[in-house]
Amino acid sequence: MPSKGVLVEEDVIDIALAGNPSVGKTAVFNALTGMHQKIGNWPGVTIEKKEGVFSFGGIKARVVDLPGIYGLNAFSIDERISRDYLVTSRPDLVLSIIDSTNLQRNLYLTLELIEMGMNVIVVLNMQDELEAQGISIDTEGVARELGVPVVMISALKRTGIKDLKDKIFEYVGKVSSRTERKFHDQRIEEAIRKIESLVLHSDISSELDPRWLSIKLIEKDPEYRTLLERASSGTKGAVDQIVSDLEKSVGDASIAMAQERYRSIQEIYTNFVKKNTGRVDFTDKLDRILTNRWLGIPIFFFLMWLTFEVTFTIGNFFLEQIEIGFEWLSESAVSLLAGNVPEIVVSLVSDGIISGVGSVMVFVPNIFFLFLMIGVLESSGYMSRAAFVMDRLMHKIGLHGKSFIPMIIGFGCTVPAIMATRTLESRKDRLITMLVSPFMSCSARLPIYLTFTGIFFSKHQSTVVFSIYVIGIAAAIGMAMLFKSTILKGESSPFVLELPPYRPPMVKETLRFAGSKSLMFLKRAGTIIFIVVLVIWALATFPAGVEYGSKESYAGVIGSTVAPLMKPMGIDHWESGVAVLMGALAKEVVVGTYQTLVGEGNLELTLSEYFTPLSAYAFMLFTLLYMPCVAVFGAIWEEAGVKWALFTAVYTTVFAFIVASLVFQIGSLFLA
């Protein structure tokens, strides 16, 4: 705590944001910190860490956005990160962000934070939605019951933010010790008091809040039990006896304590929340349609198709303009350099850098609009419904709807999809979801689909790409069913998912989301793709004396070795062999590889000669299903180990070959 009782200008306070998923925590973080943010990873893991700063009244605050969690039991990695940070860093203040329209569900974490000994301010977010639903909350009454300040805001509308900052600095500046609020009955409180007394006079721990440690010991939390195991036998025996005596009267202590917290929450809700019970809100009305047993899944697939329709209809206009710009740039570079520098340098700039990298960068508008649509679906509250409506289907394969969330994330990028499996409680569920997530078509594959559908299926581009995505989902579900019944047998964990209310998409946040993902794509184009394109250009240029991009070049030799393996898919040219090998590094470079090998030639004309519509479709399926890129391979390695990473690379490639070959061979019978 900076200063004893009074904040002075040189003080810096540390603030943690805690809350359930989908409570608008990110919006609060952005409202407080503005552009003064940095993104990194939590130590030892690849989960994203957001930090920011803001100043108010001459005082500076550091803000850390903790992962969205439902409790502090540390069952999941997100919960462990949040609890470890609170225990070890002891921030000056914790803002408990709550969706005010769902007070009963959200307050449980708040009660745990108060019991943990944190200085807490409860932030009731989504004030606008609360009012729209005809709900009112007596914030002063809630504050009295919890013993901590309560502030009502709408982060989306930016209302109440100044009041929140005022309360932060007023509270941190005046509070020297927390207000203790007890949420349990007399029997439990007596047991807590006895263990607390033992803790204070033992060698268990001097760093943890004694009351919090006592509660965790009664709940038999495995992590805190290890502290007890290190204590003297007398202390351990005394604690165990107190817990045993308590359970004779209340039953399982951890369940009894959870019930007591929910009892306190129910009292608060009953006494201080008033709702117009005769009113059916907009969310309820819409859910009757979007989560309907029969309509839910068809609506989900329709929205997927609509996403691609918007992506192509609007994005292709910008794509064509950028394509014209790169053609002009290539021609200008040749005109400027020809005769002034060696021919090999002209080829490097024109055939390698501009043609290769440019052939990928032209798809940035489509990437932007794809993520814009995903952002709209996410911020509107629909994505949680997508997982909910898929729950019944997922249960049939031994998983549950929560496993579908990483798969949905995989539509953007498979790496965060692999990380998102950490929210699954069962290790078997995490492994299965990791193994099948690469089948969900990421944005890096979109340039491949756009190129091939633009050439061979221009009149039905959205429908053909939609079919590729659906096949990816079907492949993921099918392989998950196989794994669940063979190498990874076991029961699924229960499905618990928060369904946030529908809300208008946050324009700034959605645009920022789409912009950041597009910028990430551009960065890859300027780094990984740039390097790979240079390698391909060198392979196509050397050995010295061979024709650029010919079969006699190093690229031709490599491609000719791989190409025979692709004949069952209807592909018998060496350029595709090089493309799929390079695509293992980054899927975006498949198109860049073709363009680099073609050089100044017309890519559309060249691919029209190499492929038929049927073999083009088979090739798109192969690029959808075969081994994930090295970044995904590394993520699986880190999360599950090298054995599962290698298994994923091998089985996806074999599966891709079988599917693509069957599609071509069976299709040839009908088209013969």
Side-chain angles (χ1 to χ4, degrees), residues 54-67:
F54 72 93
S55 297
F56 192 72
I59 309 299
K60 185 177 180 181
R62 283 190 296 258
V63 185
V64 174
D65 186 10
L66 299 177

Side-chain angles (χ1 to χ4, degrees), residues 39 46 60 469:
I39 308 296
T46 51
K60 185 177 180 181
Y469 276 72

Side-chain angles (χ1 to χ4, degrees), residues 390-445:
M390 292 297 289
D391 179 51
R392 188 176 296 108
L393 177 60
M394 299 295 282
H395 261 298
K396 290 181 180 179
I397 65 173
L399 296 173
H400 53 56
K402 199 172 180 181
S403 295
F404 197 65
I405 295 174
M407 296 183 187
I408 293 175
I409 294 172
F411 286 146
C413 179
T414 311
V415 173
I418 299 300
M419 297 178 200
T421 61
R422 293 173 171 184
T423 61
L424 304 175
E425 289 78 10
S426 164
R427 173 170 168 77
K428 287 187 173 65
D429 286 350
R430 288 198 298 271
L431 274 174
I432 292 174
T433 308
M434 267 188 271
L435 293 177
V436 302
S437 288
F439 290 147
M440 309 301 284
S441 192
C442 66
S443 59
R445 296 174 172 101

Side-chain angles (χ1 to χ4, degrees), residues 43-182:
V45 296
T46 51
I47 293 179
E48 187 178 88
K49 178 182 182 181
K50 292 181 182 177
E51 292 183 346
V53 296
F54 72 93
S55 297
F56 192 72
I59 309 299
K60 185 177 180 181
R62 283 190 296 258
V63 185
V64 174
D65 186 10
L66 299 177
I69 56 173
Y70 292 104
L72 294 171
N73 291 318
F75 291 141
S76 70
I77 294 177
D78 286 349
E79 288 175 342
R80 190 172 298 112
I81 286 172
S82 296
R83 193 166 82 175
D84 288 349
Y85 176 81
L86 294 170
V87 168
T88 58
S89 298
R90 300 294 299 182
D92 299 309
L93 185 64
V94 178
L95 301 186
S96 181
I97 315 299
I98 287 178
D99 174 358
S100 57
T101 66
N102 199 0
L103 191 68
Q104 286 172 290
R105 179 68 187 86
N106 287 190
L107 268 178
Y108 192 90
L109 175 62
T110 303
L111 264 58
E112 287 194 300
L113 291 168
I114 294 172
E115 288 181 327
M116 197 177 193
M118 295 289 112
N119 290 314
V120 176
I121 291 180
V122 175
V123 181
L124 298 178
N125 192 22
M126 305 181 188
Q127 180 182 14
D128 52 328
E129 294 181 13
L130 190 78
E131 294 171 352
Q133 294 180 28
I135 304 173
S136 62
I137 298 177
D138 179 358
T139 54
E140 292 183 2
V142 175
R144 284 196 307 272
E145 285 299 305
L146 294 177
V148 299
V150 177
V151 181
M152 181 79 75
I153 71 165
S154 172
L156 177 62
K157 302 290 186 182
R158 293 295 198 269
T159 58
I161 301 301
K162 183 181 182 300
D163 294 338
L164 175 59
K165 290 182 176 180
D166 284 336
K167 185 63 68 175
I168 288 171
F169 288 96
E170 172 191 333
Y171 189 50
V172 174
K174 291 181 179 179
V175 173
S176 57
S177 62
R178 65 187 171 91
T179 302
E180 189 170 285
R181 171 71 168 89
K182 297 177 172 63

Side-chain angles (χ1 to χ4, degrees), residues 9-25:
E9 195 158 332
E10 62 267 21
D11 282 329
V12 178
I13 62 173
D14 291 312
I15 301 174
L17 304 188
N20 294 178
S22 305
V23 297
K25 196 156 52 69

